[in-house]
Amino acid sequence: MSAAFAVKSTETRSSPPPAAQAARSDLAIDCKIDKLFYGDFLAVRDSHVPIEKGKIVGFIGPSGCGKSTVLRSLNRMNDLIPSFRFEGHVHFMGQDIYARNVDPVVVRRHIGMVFQQPNPFSMSIYDNVAFGLRLNRFKGNLDERVEHALRRAALWDEVKDKLKNNGLSLSGGQQQRLCIARAIATEPTVLLMDEPCSALDPIATRRVEELMLELKKDYTIAIVTHNMQQAQRVADVTAFFSVDISQGGRTGYLVEMGPTEQIFNDPREQLTKQYISGQFS
Amino acid sequence: MATVVDESRTTTSADLGRSWSDARAVTNTLLTVGAWLVALLAAVPLVSVLYMLIVQGGARLGLELLTELPPAGFEHGGGFGNAILGTLVMVGVAALIGIPIGVLGAIYLAEIAPDGRLARTTRFLAKVLTGFPSILAGVFVYAILVLTMGTYSALAGGVALAVLMLPTIVLTAEEAIRMVPRKMKEAAVGMGCTRTQTIWQVMLPTALLAILTGIMLGIARVAGESAPLLFTALFSNYWLSSLAEPTASLSILIYNFSSMPFDNQIELAWAASLVLVLIVLVFNILSRLVGRPKV
């Protein structure tokens, strides 16, 4: 493993011209991580994660395997960490989002994100959903778009009479659906979800999962989950990451990726089989 | 095998009552009583000062104080309306200078370059400035404003108070911005906010109440200051008509009148003390009210 990774030629960011990359037009995002560092710490290596349009891709793996890090590198959320360094490419809409001339703020307006902890802003439910639209200086009918987003997030009926109430006054599950409404109000093409149900009870979890299956019609979704049943329930494609401690560090990498059915029933790698069957976590 | 059972595990009754003779209980009682007494002792100065102020200053409290000018030597009656106005105006000037600089500085320290050399230096200096002798702020402003303008003024007084107010505001506002949960910042960034939008639309509103608390504390700290005003605003027996002339303040009035040989002036000094304490108290209470977490 270490040898393969040592000789691997790292593509520089600008080398592959966009035209040559358009080989697979069925991909929403083509993420190829050669090395991802936090300072000197190699957090993720050698992970090629193509994300197909209109599919739900589940990221599973043990704690510390870098699955959240990989997800966050898809909309440059890792830029918040000053020591973050990325080698590889993430192709989105025909461009490498790590190219020098790309503005991460614009990238994030196209790739929405839902976080582990529900994090509505301390403002009204309406303003939460309208937030992204106002950021983008949306000129159309704001009320209509807010209602549409709330309906898509299966929250409208519960909040339509109290749109002026603070978003934080909702229950945890409602808050998470509000965050989903906020994320889809601007109609991004991809939705990233970082363990969106880990702070929710089973009933709220079920509602969010139903919502994801519903949203799949219009969005490409990448979801990190700790819960393998959840991956089986919602993901079309599953990516299994593991952590390599052989070189002294704790470096995450992609073990295998394939249709969820195949990953869970007929994994190619021994490691995947062990993880799926609960032999380690 | 051995069937010896620990007796204490099988006893069905034990004395669980409080024992007063036990050494542990005695120490506990003594220390509790001791803590009570010391706490009481700590409250004595404040309570007795307030008591004296109310007894001595309360007698003269009335509308006349707010509307009349300070009396001359053998005059009766009079008030210190100009001093109350002067104090409020100078605190206002200080707030106008101190709040924007303080909050913007705090944004820099907390968000823009928290670990940079400039931030570390500024933070250190702000901490030093919190313990800065207030008279030196007066001397400093005397040198840069009073000498250059050629006159004592409300403006100079306000600037001196701003110097004293600034560190409190910077440090509390920085802390307030840092306390904004990381998930709020991530939500904003994830929505595609620029750094400016993240700070102004999400972080500052979230931290607003805590920042206001710091501002109120900063105001309360300077409202009662006398030393910096002595060098900058001096005093005036007349109503304030311009920011560029010597200005009366409650604290200087107290200082002046308390050493006069006239009963009337001494009574007014007491009343002014009471009014000043009330003003400071109002800002302290406001800071607690705005900072109180909403249920």
Side-chain angles (χ1 to χ4, degrees):
Chain A
M1 277 259 169
S2 65
F5 137 64
V7 290
K8 194 163 196 88
S9 69
T10 48
E11 272 172 300
T12 55
R13 285 182 193 165
S14 50
S15 67
Q21 284 300 319
R24 292 189 61 184
S25 59
D26 58 327
L27 295 186
I29 295 182
D30 189 10
C31 164
K32 187 164 172 302
I33 299 173
D34 296 324
K35 289 174 188 168
L36 189 157
F37 292 94
Y38 292 127
D40 294 333
F41 170 62
L42 179 63
V44 178
R45 64 168 171 82
D46 306 314
S47 301
H48 183 202
V49 189
I51 294 170
E52 284 173 66
K53 280 181 187 157
K55 295 273 172 72
I56 299 182
V57 179
F59 292 9
I60 61 168
S63 303
C65 68
K67 53 192 189 298
S68 277
T69 302
V70 171
L71 189 81
R72 282 163 172 260
S73 64
L74 300 181
N75 68 342
R76 296 194 60 171
M77 279 304 284
N78 286 325
D79 290 22
L80 286 183
I81 298 154
S83 62
F84 168 72
R85 212 147 44 80
F86 184 89
E87 288 175 19
H89 62 71
V90 175
H91 284 289
F92 172 67
M93 292 178 137
Q95 284 174 77
D96 179 2
I97 65 168
Y98 284 91
R100 189 157 299 186
N101 61 346
V102 166
D103 182 355
V105 169
V106 179
V107 170
R108 294 184 198 120
R109 292 186 184 181
H110 284 105
I111 304 181
M113 186 149 192
V114 176
F115 297 83
Q116 187 169 359
Q117 295 280 333
N119 54 2
F121 299 126
S122 178
M123 48 178 83
S124 74
I125 293 170
Y126 183 96
D127 288 341
N128 261 287
V129 182
F131 187 86
L133 295 166
R134 288 180 176 145
L135 274 189
N136 291 312
R137 296 174 211 273
F138 176 70
K139 287 285 184 292
N141 187 336
L142 202 58
D143 290 359
E144 210 171 77
R145 287 286 289 266
V146 168
E147 177 177 342
H148 181 69
L150 284 168
R151 281 189 190 281
R152 294 294 330 253
L155 190 61
W156 176 252
D157 290 333
E158 291 158 65
V159 302
K160 64 178 180 225
D161 299 322
K162 46 178 184 179
L163 291 172
K164 292 245 168 4
N165 290 17
N166 193 298
L168 294 168
S169 66
L170 299 173
S171 74
Q174 289 174 324
Q175 285 189 16
Q176 195 62 305
R177 276 179 285 144
L178 177 62
C179 292
I180 294 173
R182 181 178 65 186
I184 61 178
T186 52
E187 300 188 346
T189 46
V190 179
L191 206 52
L192 306 179
M193 303 178 115
D194 191 356
E195 298 191 39
C197 301
S198 65
L200 305 185
D201 64 60
I203 294 165
T205 299
R206 181 51 59 102
R207 296 211 62 170
V208 171
E209 286 178 7
E210 285 166 3
L211 180 56
M212 281 190 273
L213 293 171
E214 175 64 28
L215 291 173
K216 190 170 79 165
K217 293 172 191 158
D218 300 311
Y219 300 95
T220 305
I221 299 176
I223 172 179
V224 167
T225 176
H226 247 108
N227 180 332
M228 283 192 277
Q229 283 73 40
Q230 182 168 62
Q232 276 178 292
R233 284 192 298 260
V234 301
D236 302 304
V237 176
T238 297
F240 170 61
F241 292 84
S242 189
V243 54
D244 176 9
I245 51 174
S246 64
Q247 290 154 57
R250 292 181 56 86
T251 300
Y253 66 102
L254 179 69
V255 177
E256 72 171 298
M257 182 170 177
T260 302
E261 189 105 319
Q262 176 249 311
I263 294 288
F264 281 91
N265 296 326
D266 182 25
R268 286 190 299 270
E269 302 286 334
Q270 187 61 26
L271 205 56
T272 316
K273 191 175 283 176
Q274 287 174 348
Y275 184 73
I276 301 295
S277 61
Q279 288 181 37
F280 76 100
S281 61
Chain B
M1 292 269 180
T3 50
V4 184
V5 179
D6 183 356
E7 205 173 310
S8 67
R9 290 184 166 277
T10 56
T11 15
T12 49
S13 72
D15 183 12
L16 301 175
R18 217 181 276 275
S19 157
W20 296 104
S21 52
D22 186 22
R24 206 173 47 172
V26 172
T27 323
N28 183 36
T29 310
L30 281 180
L31 285 177
T32 308
V33 171
W36 258 95
L37 288 177
V38 175
L40 215 58
L41 202 64
V44 164
L46 180 63
V47 171
S48 49
V49 165
L50 276 178
Y51 176 77
M52 280 222 313
L53 285 180
I54 290 167
V55 169
Q56 303 264 21
R60 285 293 292 267
L61 221 53
L63 207 59
E64 191 192 26
L65 294 183
L66 308 178
T67 56
E68 298 287 314
L69 288 173
F74 290 98
E75 278 179 4
H76 289 284
F80 40 74
N82 62 338
I84 296 178
L85 182 68
T87 290
L88 292 179
V89 165
M90 286 190 281
V91 168
V93 169
L96 281 181
I97 301 170
I99 293 171
I101 299 181
V103 173
L104 291 175
I107 289 173
Y108 183 87
L109 295 188
E111 270 302 311
I112 297 187
D115 301 316
R117 178 176 299 178
L118 178 60
R120 274 180 290 147
T121 315
T122 307
R123 205 176 286 124
F124 173 72
L125 292 178
K127 280 176 186 158
V128 172
L129 206 56
T130 46
F132 197 61
S134 57
I135 195 162
L136 292 183
V139 174
F140 165 68
V141 175
Y142 178 81
I144 63 162
L145 267 185
V146 176
L147 290 182
T148 52
M149 287 172 68
T151 171
Y152 295 96
S153 66
L155 186 66
V159 172
L161 296 185
V163 169
L164 291 171
M165 188 190 281
L166 198 55
T168 313
I169 296 181
V170 170
L171 294 174
T172 52
E174 184 198 356
E175 194 55 34
I177 297 171
R178 281 181 186 277
M179 293 293 280
V180 172
R182 189 187 154 81
K183 62 178 189 177
M184 285 302 184
K185 186 178 171 184
E186 288 193 331
V189 174
M191 286 303 295
C193 284
T194 60
R195 182 156 77 179
T196 309
Q197 287 167 331
T198 304
I199 291 169
W200 286 93
Q201 300 194 20
V202 174
M203 308 208 40
L204 281 187
T206 311
L208 187 65
L209 292 182
I211 293 175
L212 280 179
T213 304
I215 290 172
M216 293 300 163
L217 285 176
I219 289 176
R221 161 157 157 65
V222 301
E225 282 290 349
S226 55
L229 298 180
L230 212 50
F231 286 91
T232 51
L234 207 63
F235 194 72
S236 156
N237 281 317
Y238 307 101
W239 288 99
L240 179 75
S241 62
S242 145
L243 286 182
E245 61 183 34
T247 303
S249 60
L250 282 171
S251 48
I252 304 294
L253 178 119
I254 296 165
Y255 174 79
N256 286 346
F257 278 17
S258 59
S259 54
M260 282 191 177
F262 311 111
D263 286 346
N264 187 27
Q265 268 77 352
I266 289 178
E267 277 176 24
L268 281 176
W270 279 110
S273 308
L274 181 60
V275 170
L276 185 56
V277 165
L278 289 178
I279 291 177
V280 172
L281 211 59
V282 163
F283 281 112
N284 267 314
I285 291 170
L286 277 181
S287 80
R288 301 197 135 225
L289 286 184
V290 298
R292 180 180 294 171
K294 298 242 165 67
V295 184

